[in-house]
Every structure is written in C-alpha cells, then in structure tokens.
Amino acid sequence: MEEDFLKNTILPLYFEKEPSITDTLDLCREGGDFRMVYFAEDGERKLVIKHTSNSFTDAERIESWARLIDEYNRLGIYCPRIVPNRLGETAHTYTEGGRKYFIYAEEFSKYPSAEKIGIEKLEGETGRLIYTDDVLRSVGKVAAARLDCCDFRSVYCLLEPYSAEETTDEGTEYAIDFRDFVYKEIPEFRSRMDGLMELFYKNQEELRKVYYELPTSCFQADLNYTNILVDENNSFAGVIDFNLCGREVNLNYAVRAAMWMAYDKRLYNENDEALFYYNEELDEARNAIIINNLKLIGESYEYSEKEREAFPVLFRYMNSFWWEILRELKTVKDDESKVDMLFRWLERQLTRDDIRLP
C-alpha cells in the first residue's frame, strides 16, 4: 500500500519522471507517530521526502520550519532547505481515515552527519567530540538573533507539556517516574524520596516566578549526533531535522546544550555508566565542563541580568531528575550504598546555590 502510494502520489509531487529510491527509513513509533522518509534522486537532484502524521506536524508548522531553516542559513549555520513541490506547496496535505497526513521534502545534505562519520573518529583525547565548541557557539548565535519564526514551543520546553498527549512537563514526568520506582522497588527510601520531591516542587515554583520573563529565540531543538553535520575536516558544518523545533527560553536551551555536551571520559566507565554521581570531585569536574560550555555559548550571546538571576534555580531544577538518573537508579537499586550516594547527589543538586553563569 505504502509502496503504491509512494510511486503514484508522493514521487510525482517532486519529480516529472520516476526517480530512484536510494534509501527508506521507517521512523514510525507507538502512539500514532507515523513517519516515513524516502531518499530519491533522478540524476539532476536528490531529495529527502518525508511522509508524516503526528501531534507535532501540520502544514503551518512545516512553513515555520522552512522559515527557521532559512534563518539558520543566514546565520552561517548550514541546513538543507525545505523545497516546494511541483504544485508550489511547501507541504502537501491529505486526509485519510479522519487523520491528516503531510508530505514535504528537503534538499539532500551537502555534508554527512556525525553518526555517519562515526563518533569514535570524532573524539578527542578526553572524549570530547571535536565539533562541540562550534556547536555551542552556534547556539549562542541563534540565541542572540532572537528569531521569531515559530509561535509554538520546542520539545525542550520546561514547566508545560510539549504536546496534547502529555499531561505534564518532562522534568516533572521524570521526577514522578523516579518517585514511583522508589515507592515500588526500594520503599525503605520512601521518606527521603518525599523530601526530594518537596525540594523539586519548591524549585519548580521558584522557577515559575521568573521563567516566562526570560529572553527567547527559535531553535532546532534536537542537537544529537544524528542531526549534527560535519565537513571534510570533521568540523561542525550545520544541522538537520527541525521537526522538534520551536520557540524556546534561551537560558533553558543553553543549559541543556551545555549539560548534554559535557563530554569527558573521566565521568563514565567502560559501560557508559555515570561515575560523577558517586564522586564529588568528578561531579565538580562535570560542573566545570558545563560552565565552560556556557562560556562558549556566551562568546556570541550576552546573558542578561534576569538570566543570571534565574540561572541557579533553573540549574537546580534541570540538574536533578532526568531520564539518565532514573536509568542509573534501576541499575543500582539492589546496592543500598550506591542508592544512598545517588540520593545524596540529588539532595545536593536540588539545594546547591554555588554555581553561576560565567
């Protein structure tokens, strides 16, 4: 069915003669997230055609993605552009079974992704990926531009759900999942868990008071190595995949990027398990990397006084419950000593007030 629809409906939107399909990706997920990707070429041009239906895609958003991609290119951050079809549409829309579907296409990238190059080829001596500094500088460029291309939030959003299917923000979701796991699997830690949740909600309310006054821009919002493009020197060239993009608080985006790119082999063992949870010296080394990453973002973005004032509570909120620490808890749940150290790490992060923006 999909193959016939591809040949008779999708491809004719972009090609006069039937092209070759060089690759197909099935990115469909549970919960009604339909995503198929086709790489097509006819000898004159290569396109990446996307056939989608989910809660975060519609024709208006695709138009916004196209505008944001243009802005990124104007800032010197290469992104393959969304191209109109032969009908002049940025996105083609149709309805089937009461559900809307969208078809749009992007230029085939001039550069490979970091994933295709191979992460092992991009690591420096410490394990830091060699393109990291320039990716962080690009975050600063986008923040400084105060882009106004999207009237919807990005997937990085804090303090509110991202999509209609979600009932809470991601930070609260992970905190609740962590709590529920403790209640069920290690109830002897329940009292301490209740104390952690009290601290978490206290930080959340404090953050709400200042968060919506902070500067914003529009960002790509999925800076993993599958979406980062590198040139022939393995230097940062640009990004792809804007389907999770949107308007975002600059400080939230900067802190997330700084945390996620805190690469250092000292912080993890050979099984990619985090060691900094159990060693205060390593934890401080990680924090130093995060602050240096924020400094790199700050080379092209001047943090405001409101951002400096909000940073400590935002850092407490974000540097606590997340999917990584829940994964860690599930790994060490039978080791009471490690669970205790993990809880002490959380208690420290949720109360610390000694870290400031560079």
Side-chain angles (χ1 to χ4, degrees):
M1 180 69 178
E2 180 70 18
E3 186 175 341
D4 290 341
F5 190 77
L6 171 66
K7 181 177 180 180
N8 299 325
T9 302
I10 296 178
L11 296 178
L13 285 170
Y14 294 95
F15 297 95
E16 186 173 350
K17 295 181 179 179
E18 185 175 344
S20 300
I21 301 298
T22 59
D23 198 7
T24 299
L25 298 178
D26 183 343
L27 303 179
C28 298
R29 301 181 182 181
E30 295 180 0
D33 184 354
F34 175 83
R35 279 185 274 177
M36 295 294 298
V37 181
Y38 305 100
F39 296 80
E41 58 179 299
D42 65 355
E44 296 182 7
R45 65 174 182 168
K46 296 174 69 174
L47 295 178
V48 181
I49 304 175
K50 301 185 176 183
H51 183 198
T52 68
S53 178
N54 50 46
S55 62
F56 52 85
T57 302
D58 58 42
E60 291 75 18
R61 287 198 177 208
I62 296 170
E63 291 279 0
S64 295
W65 302 347
R67 292 194 295 270
L68 184 56
I69 287 169
D70 286 344
E71 292 292 344
Y72 265 64
N73 278 289
R74 275 192 274 273
L75 290 172
I77 306 167
Y78 169 75
C79 309
R81 286 183 163 88
I82 293 177
V83 299
N85 61 31
R86 295 172 66 207
L87 303 175
E89 302 167 320
T90 301
H92 182 74
T93 306
Y94 72 95
T95 301
E96 183 177 286
R99 179 174 177 175
K100 281 191 174 182
Y101 290 79
F102 305 92
I103 301 166
Y104 64 100
E106 299 169 355
E107 301 166 331
F108 187 82
S109 176
K110 296 191 296 186
Y111 302 105
S113 69
E115 179 186 36
K116 288 187 177 178
I117 294 297
I119 293 301
E120 68 283 352
K121 296 178 182 178
L122 299 171
E123 287 184 340
E125 290 185 6
T126 66
R128 188 174 178 86
L129 300 175
I130 58 180
Y131 58 68
T132 300
D133 289 9
D134 285 335
V135 173
L136 292 165
R137 291 184 180 106
S138 79
V139 170
K141 286 182 181 179
V142 177
R146 302 286 185 90
L147 300 178
D148 188 22
C149 312
C150 312
D151 60 2
F152 46 87
R153 65 183 71 90
S154 88
V155 75
Y156 283 5
C157 62
L158 283 184
L159 306 180
E160 55 188 329
Y162 170 59
S163 66
E165 289 83 5
E166 297 172 347
T167 58
T168 187
D169 67 287
E170 201 170 16
T172 304
E173 179 184 348
Y174 287 126
I176 291 172
D177 288 347
F178 191 99
R179 180 201 65 191
D180 291 349
F181 184 85
V182 170
Y183 281 10
K184 181 179 180 181
E185 300 291 337
I186 41 177
E188 61 270 27
F189 283 88
R190 179 169 184 148
S191 177
R192 285 177 70 180
M193 185 69 242
D194 290 342
L196 291 179
M197 292 302 293
E198 184 177 340
L199 290 171
F200 175 80
Y201 284 123
K202 178 182 176 182
N203 285 327
Q204 185 180 76
E205 288 309 305
E206 188 178 344
L207 183 59
R208 283 188 192 280
K209 295 173 184 177
V210 296
Y211 190 72
Y212 299 106
E213 298 177 2
L214 299 177
T216 66
S217 188
C218 296
F219 296 90
Q220 181 261 5
D222 194 8
L223 289 177
N224 67 70
Y225 58 86
T226 65
N227 294 331
I228 289 174
L229 304 174
V230 294
D231 64 18
E232 62 278 4
N233 300 313
N234 291 337
S235 298
F236 172 65
V239 292
I240 55 174
D241 200 353
F242 280 70
N243 67 348
L244 300 178
C245 75
R247 178 177 300 283
E248 197 48 73
V249 170
N250 291 344
L251 186 61
N252 171 31
Y253 198 93
V255 172
R256 289 212 193 196
M259 285 182 175
W260 290 344
M261 296 186 187
Y263 306 122
D264 193 308
K265 290 179 179 178
R266 295 174 299 167
L267 305 179
Y268 299 87
N269 64 18
E270 62 276 6
N271 297 319
D272 199 33
E273 296 167 338
L275 301 176
F276 59 86
Y277 294 130
Y278 313 108
N279 183 299
E280 191 169 320
E281 185 177 342
L282 288 180
D283 188 39
E284 291 311 306
R286 173 178 174 266
N287 288 332
I289 295 169
I290 292 170
I291 294 302
N292 183 65
N293 287 349
L294 288 166
K295 186 176 181 180
L296 288 165
I297 293 171
E299 288 182 11
S300 48
Y301 177 69
E302 184 175 355
Y303 298 109
S304 69
E305 284 306 309
K306 283 189 175 182
E307 287 171 318
R308 293 186 178 280
E309 292 170 7
F311 174 75
V313 65
L314 184 141
F315 190 79
R316 289 196 296 271
Y317 187 76
M318 292 180 61
N319 193 40
S320 54
F321 296 108
W322 213 248
W323 67 268
E324 294 165 303
I325 194 166
L326 177 58
R327 181 186 66 179
E328 185 71 14
L329 179 66
K330 291 178 178 179
T331 301
V332 303
K333 68 180 179 66
D334 296 323
D335 186 330
E336 186 174 340
S337 175
K338 280 199 168 184
V339 173
D340 173 69
M341 286 189 283
L342 198 59
F343 269 65
R344 281 194 277 122
W345 182 86
L346 274 168
E347 288 160 357
R348 185 161 182 254
Q349 307 316 313
L350 286 164
T351 56
R352 69 185 309 158
D353 194 33
D354 59 334
I355 300 180
R356 296 292 184 272
L357 278 173

